[in-house]
């Protein structure tokens, strides 16, 4: 598979290089130049496959010829070995016509483990073959960071620096990052918002001398391999539902749009999609875009669902590329306008194309609390606030459409215990693997949201890196 940039001015790359480089040099995002498909028979035959087998089958066409299916299977088996549910991503009925896809059975209790456990091993595999080392730099609004750190900790070929907005992630999220004291793990608490963190990471990638000297790479949701690994659970959910000929909708609690975009890719590969419900919190830039065709940045609001407290959904650019019929110049000029003025508008045909597939829903914190409480009253179960937003969006949608909706449970309730307890009166317990989280020592460096300060810290932390990689 060859990959092209959404902005059309970066070299085509193969899978290995796309995995290692993350963002394209022209500021765009890499996408496959053609869509591989699974025939209905191939999809049906996946119904009996183990989750790692299914994941290897889904990843294979994206990784060919760089990484073969046998290697992908070994990577997937290892990646999902420690998940705490035998189905890895269990699908179960929730209430009338609504199904829940549980994606919190990995080491950090959020769906990002499903892709990152694979990505960490893919990096290792590719780097070992090339005898190289890399520096992973990422921004997190909470969950990506811990999932990335868990995926990369103690891997010889990787140094990892994760920027999180100081004081704006939950204590559990922070501790899941800062209590990993492996020598190759570096946590930075940035005095700013998640968007500041994301801008700093983008600026480091834009600094070519720095990027090349430290072989910067990304594991945030712009990395293609993450998207590809996420496609697997959509395929898994679709075949598990066992209604091959019939279309299904997904309700996705959305921040950076990576998860919704992976659902779109699953559709391109052959999953029979009806609608994708883009569920947002008060940070409703996507809801407003779908209502008006105008993408307009606003202030970031802190909510009960902090992993969705995002205004600029970076993966949306990949979807926009499809909205405009893969016209890279149109993407580049829209993104430039967005960067300069804080807004851009889709053309009427592009918006019509998107609305044929996407529905936007938005929940306030009050509505999220009400949902958590009523779900607890109805089912006796606790959900996390992000998941509750997806379920509420699925319910609104079901009131107009009787096809099945699969809502994504993107985190375990114990990851957001304060919000869950405030809404339901019940404090969710951490699962056994994290029971002693509050007793573990933390390690973290606080820095202002200034590019030069962050870069100086990275240089100082890996002073010997350039010499070493020069030898290999
Ligand atoms: C990251 C995250 C989201 C948002 O996913 P995107 O792919 O960024 O849209 C939703 N819920 C939880 C729990 C998350 O960690």
């Amino acid at each position: 598979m060859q990959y092209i940039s959404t902005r059309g001015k970066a070299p085509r790359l193969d899978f290995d290089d796309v995995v290692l480089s993350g963002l394209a040099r022209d500021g765009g995002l890499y996408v496959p130049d053609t869509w591989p498909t699974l025939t209905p028979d191939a999809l049906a035959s996946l119904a009996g496959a183990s989750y790692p087998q299914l994941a290897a089958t889904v990843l294979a066409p994206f990784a060919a010829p760089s990484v073969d299916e046998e290697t992908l299977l070994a990577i997937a088996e290892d990646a999902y070995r420690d998940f705490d549910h035998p189905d890895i991503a269990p699908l179960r009925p929730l209430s009338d016509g609504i199904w829940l896809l549980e994606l919190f059975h990995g080491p950090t209790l959020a769906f990002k483990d499903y892709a990152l456990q694979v990505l960490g091993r893919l990096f290792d595999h590719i780097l070992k073959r090339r005898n190289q080392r890399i520096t992973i730099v990422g921004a997190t609004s909470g969950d990506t960071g811990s999932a990335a750190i868990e995926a990369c900790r103690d891997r010889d070929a990787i140094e990892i620096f994760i920027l999180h907005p100081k004081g704006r992630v939950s204590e559990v999220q922070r501790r899941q990052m800062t209590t990993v004291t492996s020598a190759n793990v570096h946590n930075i608490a940035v005095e700013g918002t998640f968007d500041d963190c994301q801008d700093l990471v983008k600026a480091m990638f834009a600094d070519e001398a720095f990027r090349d000297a430290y072989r910067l790479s990304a594991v945030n949701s712009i990395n293609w391999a993450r998207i590809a690994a996420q496609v697997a659970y959509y395929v898994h959910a679709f075949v598990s539902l066992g209604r091959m000929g019939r279309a299904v909708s997904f309700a996705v609690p959305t921040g950076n749009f990576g998860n919704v975009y992976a659902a779109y890719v699953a559709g391109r590969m052959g999953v029979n999609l009806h609608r994708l419900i883009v569920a947002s919190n008060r940070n409703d830039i996507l809801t407003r875009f779908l209502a008006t065709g105008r993408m307009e940045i606003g202030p970031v609001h802190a909510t009960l669902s902090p992993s969705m407290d995002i205004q600029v959904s970076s993966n949306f650019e990949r979807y926009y590329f499809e909205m405009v019929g893969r016209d890279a110049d149109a993407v580049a000029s829209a993104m430039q306008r967005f960067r300069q003025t804080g807004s851009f508008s889709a053309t009427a045909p592009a918006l019509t194309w998107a609305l044929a597939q996407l529905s936007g829903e938005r929940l306030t914190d009050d509505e999220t609390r009400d949902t958590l409480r009523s779900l607890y009253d109805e089912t006796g179960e606790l959900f996390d606030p992000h998941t509750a937003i997806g379920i509420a969006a699925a319910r609104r949608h079901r009131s107009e459409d009787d096809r099945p909706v699969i809502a994504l449970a993107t985190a375990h309730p114990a990851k957001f215990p304060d919000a869950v307890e405030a809404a339901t009166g019940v404090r969710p317990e951490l699962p056994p693997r994290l029971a002693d989280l509050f007793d573990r020592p933390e390690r973290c460096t606080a820095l202002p949201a200034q590019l030069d300060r962050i870069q100086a810290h990275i240089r100082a932390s890996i002073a010997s890196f350039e010499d070493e990689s020069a030898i290999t």
Side-chain angles (χ1 to χ4, degrees):
M1 180 67 70
Q2 288 277 301
Y3 290 83
I4 54 174
S5 166
T6 50
R7 299 194 194 175
K9 298 271 189 295
R12 296 167 80 88
L13 296 181
D14 65 11
F15 182 74
D16 273 20
D17 284 317
V18 160
V19 170
L20 295 183
S21 61
L23 204 66
R25 287 195 179 241
D26 59 3
L29 278 67
Y30 276 106
V31 292
D33 71 348
T34 55
W35 293 113
T37 53
L38 293 163
T39 62
D41 283 350
L43 272 172
S45 73
L46 288 174
S50 70
Y51 191 86
Q53 274 168 344
L54 179 146
T57 305
V58 169
L59 282 163
F62 293 112
S66 307
V67 185
D68 62 33
E69 190 164 342
E70 198 183 327
T71 305
L72 292 168
L73 179 59
I75 285 174
E77 280 176 342
D78 193 49
Y80 297 116
R81 182 163 292 137
D82 289 335
F83 279 49
D84 65 12
H85 194 288
D87 290 346
I88 309 297
L91 180 73
R92 62 180 175 97
L94 181 70
S95 61
D96 187 36
I98 298 183
W99 298 70
L100 197 69
L101 180 63
E102 292 185 355
L103 300 174
F104 51 71
H105 294 289
T108 71
L109 314 182
F111 82 93
K112 294 184 175 77
D113 289 330
Y114 287 72
L116 286 167
Q117 287 293 317
V118 169
L119 184 60
R121 285 161 178 80
L122 261 177
F123 268 119
D124 225 32
H125 173 78
I126 295 169
L127 290 166
K128 275 185 189 144
R129 209 164 55 186
R130 294 185 172 197
N131 201 17
Q132 283 180 354
R133 303 182 64 190
I134 52 163
T135 305
I136 287 176
V137 177
T140 186
S141 54
D143 291 330
T144 322
S146 56
I149 286 168
E150 282 296 337
C152 297
R153 64 186 299 172
D154 301 320
R155 290 188 197 282
D156 296 337
I158 300 175
E159 293 285 331
I160 177 166
F161 291 81
I162 295 294
L163 282 60
H164 71 264
K166 191 178 176 197
R168 290 177 191 241
V169 300
S170 79
E171 184 168 8
V172 174
Q173 287 179 319
R174 189 192 72 236
R175 285 181 168 274
Q176 281 185 299
M177 297 190 280
T178 57
T179 60
V180 178
T181 51
S182 305
N184 70 330
V185 171
H186 311 271
N187 279 289
I188 302 175
V190 174
E191 287 147 7
T193 63
F194 169 67
D195 285 346
D196 292 331
C197 296
Q198 192 150 265
D199 284 346
L200 285 162
V201 169
K202 282 191 179 160
M204 282 190 260
F205 276 92
D207 179 345
E208 282 195 25
F210 186 79
R211 168 184 169 149
D212 292 344
Y214 294 94
R215 294 217 176 98
L216 292 201
S217 187
V219 294
N220 56 26
S221 64
I222 59 170
N223 194 295
W224 177 262
R226 271 188 67 180
I227 302 286
Q230 286 175 242
V231 175
Y233 52 71
Y234 288 102
V235 173
H236 169 72
F238 178 66
V239 301
S240 301
L241 201 59
R243 304 179 195 192
M244 279 315 178
R246 287 166 53 193
V248 58
S249 300
F250 288 94
V252 187
T254 297
N256 252 324
F257 207 79
N259 214 358
V260 182
Y261 177 74
Y264 165 77
V265 176
R268 295 300 304 240
M269 291 187 80
V271 167
N272 193 349
L273 289 184
H274 178 47
R275 295 199 69 81
L276 298 178
I277 303 156
V278 181
S280 299
N281 60 25
R282 188 178 163 200
N283 298 290
D284 60 351
I285 184 167
L286 293 168
T287 326
R288 289 184 283 116
F289 175 76
L290 292 171
T292 65
R294 193 171 153 82
M295 188 74 85
E296 188 170 24
I297 196 166
V300 183
H301 300 288
T303 72
L304 294 177
S305 44
S307 301
M308 295 155 62
D309 290 351
I310 288 167
Q311 281 289 333
V312 182
S313 299
S314 10
N315 266 294
F316 186 79
E317 180 167 337
R318 288 189 160 116
Y319 193 78
Y320 192 67
F321 186 60
E322 306 299 335
M323 283 175 67
V324 295
R326 297 203 145 203
D327 177 348
D329 291 338
V331 175
S333 64
M335 294 304 144
Q336 193 186 7
R337 203 168 316 129
F338 189 50
R339 197 176 178 80
Q340 284 167 355
T341 68
S343 75
F344 73 92
S345 294
T347 62
L351 184 64
T352 303
W353 183 88
L355 291 176
Q357 179 166 57
L358 305 183
S359 304
E361 294 286 353
R362 156 187 46 210
L363 265 82
T364 63
D365 274 356
D366 281 342
E367 290 169 322
T368 304
R369 265 188 290 265
D370 287 347
T371 305
L372 284 168
R373 191 177 316 116
S374 63
L375 280 168
Y376 182 64
D377 291 344
E378 284 165 39
T379 67
E381 281 187 80
L382 300 175
F383 297 87
D384 104 281
H386 307 77
T387 303
I389 289 175
I391 294 172
R395 288 189 163 173
R396 283 185 195 166
H397 182 78
R398 277 277 302 176
S399 62
E400 298 151 23
D401 181 342
D402 62 2
R403 273 170 268 226
V405 181
I406 298 175
L408 272 60
T410 51
H412 189 286
K415 228 172 157 159
F416 303 93
D418 298 336
V420 174
E421 185 177 14
T424 64
V426 182
R427 192 160 184 89
E429 265 176 49
L430 280 171
R433 68 160 94 224
L434 288 172
D436 68 341
L437 186 66
F438 286 82
D439 304 324
R440 298 179 198 164
E442 292 186 75
R443 204 183 67 198
C444 182
T445 306
L447 290 171
Q450 288 168 16
L451 182 62
D452 55 341
R453 296 286 303 273
I454 310 271
Q455 285 179 317
H457 176 72
I458 293 178
R459 285 194 189 96
S461 304
I462 48 175
S464 62
F465 189 90
E466 273 172 282
D467 301 341
E468 276 180 48
S469 55
I471 298 164
T472 57

